Structures are given as C-alpha cells and as structure tokens.
Amino acid sequence: MSPRADALPRPLAGSRPGPRPGSRSGRWPLPNRLLHWGTALMVLAAFAVALIMTDVEARDFLLRFWLYQAHKTIGLLVLLACLARLGLRLLGRGPGPVKGLPTSKRRLAGLGHAALYGLLLAMPVLGLLVADTAPQKVPTLFLGLWRLPVLIGPDAALFEGLSTLHMVLAWTLVVLALGHGAMAIHHHRRGLDVLRRML
C-alpha cells in the first residue's frame, strides 16, 4: 500500500526548495557567462590582430586592409557585448555577494569591474574616431559588409592624439584584464566561489 500523501514530509513554511539535481547554485546565468567569456576572447583576438596588422608592410595593402577591418569589427562586437552585459546587470539577475570575501576587497573588485567596463566601452569608440580622423580615407566595414558613416573626417593632429590614447588604453586594458584573471585564480585557490560562479 502506498503511503498517504498527508504522511509525507513537507517543507517548512517560508523555506526555499534546494537546487535541482545536477544544477550548480550560485552561478551567473548562462547569457552572462557566455558574454563574459566571449568578451574576453574577443579582446584577446583584437589585441593579437592589432599586433599583427601594425607589422604588415604597407605594400601588402590588401592584407593590411582586411586586418584593420577585422580589428575594427571585433572592437564593435566587444562594444555590443559590453552593452548587453550592462543591460543584464541592470536587470539584477545573478548571484549575490561572494561569501567569505571581505567588504574592502569587494569594493576594490567593484572598482576594478567599473574600470574594465569603462575601457571596454571607450576603446571601440576611440578606435572608430581614430579611423575617422586618419589621413588615409579608409572606410570602416562592419563584418566586412556594412560601411559605417564618417563622423569627423581626416585630421592629422587629432589622429595622432587619438591613436596614442587608444594605444595607452589598450595596454591598460590588457594589464587590468590580466590582474582580474589573476585575482579570480587567487580567490579560487583560497576556496572562494569567484571563479566557479562564471564557469
């Protein structure tokens, strides 16, 4: 005879059900994780392409042209991914604060995230302005198909200043990203869930 339904144990009033079998609690939702790692890969790709395209000889115009187009397209995709990530953060979906992480380190992590987001938003915009002000009138083709409008026009002095700023911020972004990854690994080795939440 099957047990009576009213004889089965019931959850306490106000309690939440535990995680489903096979699930891992405390992780960021899948869209956040995909955008996070996708952004990281695109930043690495953009940096690698930038190093290659600046070493290509000017006489190899076609290769140089498409490397620049790839670099600009990746930058614009980073911008779109970053805006999507900010939108998801504004929706408030995600795990709470990391357990065991002191308030001071949590605030430092918040400042680091703000700096990373600021650079991820600023770099593609600066890149477009560098392309617009370049003395050579080379179009920007998003995904190699859609030509973006020119916002400023050739300006040698402005081009030099924006190019220098773009390069400095690019290296700053690389340093911050490496520091971000190093701290995630450090906290992971200490048993905190910083890294596991994004896997």
Side-chain angles (χ1 to χ4, degrees):
M1 180 181 296
S2 60
R4 292 172 53 190
D6 56 1
L8 296 176
R10 298 179 180 179
L12 297 175
S15 64
R16 296 182 180 179
R20 291 173 298 174
S23 68
R24 297 171 66 184
S25 59
R27 298 169 74 194
W28 284 96
L30 181 60
N32 299 69
R33 285 180 275 138
L34 290 176
L35 286 169
H36 175 273
W37 294 111
T39 301
L41 289 174
M42 287 190 291
V43 168
L44 288 175
F47 192 75
V49 172
L51 293 178
I52 295 171
M53 71 188 190
T54 52
D55 280 342
V56 174
E57 296 184 7
R59 67 169 180 255
D60 200 345
F61 174 77
L62 191 59
L63 175 60
R64 192 180 178 93
F65 174 82
W66 285 114
L67 284 172
Y68 270 87
Q69 297 304 327
H71 179 74
K72 290 185 281 188
T73 290
I74 296 171
L76 289 171
L77 290 174
V78 168
L79 177 61
L80 294 175
C82 192
L83 291 173
R85 292 178 65 185
L86 287 173
L88 290 175
R89 294 294 291 266
L90 290 175
L91 292 176
R93 297 184 59 200
V98 179
K99 295 180 180 179
L101 190 65
T103 303
S104 58
K105 290 187 177 180
R106 197 177 299 158
R107 289 174 179 169
L108 285 174
L111 290 174
H113 281 104
L116 282 171
Y117 273 110
L119 287 171
L120 289 171
L121 291 170
M123 288 294 295
V125 176
L126 270 176
L128 285 178
L129 294 178
V130 169
D132 280 358
T133 56
Q136 304 86 0
K137 296 181 180 180
V138 180
T140 296
L141 303 177
F142 181 58
L143 297 176
L145 299 173
W146 294 283
R147 181 169 182 163
L148 300 185
V150 176
L151 301 176
I152 300 177
D155 186 320
L158 190 55
F159 170 75
E160 289 297 327
L162 290 173
S163 297
T164 301
L165 181 60
H166 188 65
M167 182 181 64
V168 170
L169 291 184
W171 283 105
T172 304
L173 176 60
V174 170
V175 171
L176 277 178
L178 290 175
H180 175 70
M183 290 306 298
I185 294 172
H186 169 71
H187 290 311
H188 178 73
R189 296 184 65 181
R190 290 183 58 226
L192 300 179
D193 289 335
V194 175
L195 183 58
R196 281 191 290 268
R197 286 150 47 110
M198 196 56 78
L199 295 176

